[in-house]
Amino acid sequence: MVYLKVFLVGGLLCAIAQLLIDKTKMTPARILVTYVVGGAVLSAVGLYDKIADFAKAGATVPLIGFGHLLAKGARSAVENEGLIGALTGGLTASAGGISAAIVFGYIFALLFNSKPDHK
């Protein structure tokens, strides 16, 4: 049953993004930013934890999960370090994931050569 919830919520988020791409003039970059900000807003009003408890990875893996992680890190750092934590907390909380993305991206760039599209 957990897998079904994960798939439905994650799939719904992807379907909403695809509809935004197809039916509006929003660029994919703006949609990504909207999802990250949406996750931070849902975290700030206390709804994100309820969604994540229901959907597990279906809510934490997509971009709204990254927004929640940034907001949660900033909130925690403000409690521990004061106002400067608002600037450093999100980066500290997300450093592991960002570092992994950079390292794995570099490794795959070394292993696989892209080929130019010749038409």
Side-chain angles (χ1 to χ4, degrees), residues 33-116:
V33 170
T34 300
Y35 269 43
V36 172
V37 170
V41 169
L42 287 171
S43 181
V45 297
L47 291 176
Y48 190 85
D49 286 329
K50 293 174 184 165
I51 295 168
D53 286 342
F54 174 78
K56 310 286 186 237
T60 57
V61 173
L63 284 168
I64 64 168
F66 183 66
H68 167 68
L69 182 65
L70 292 173
K72 186 176 174 183
R75 184 173 42 243
S76 175
V78 166
E79 290 173 3
N80 295 332
E81 302 168 21
L83 189 56
I84 193 72
L87 301 173
T88 62
L91 293 174
T92 302
S94 62
I98 292 171
S99 298
I102 291 169
V103 168
F104 290 126
Y106 182 71
I107 290 170
F108 280 96
L110 291 174
L111 294 175
F112 301 99
N113 294 327
S114 63
K115 294 176 179 57

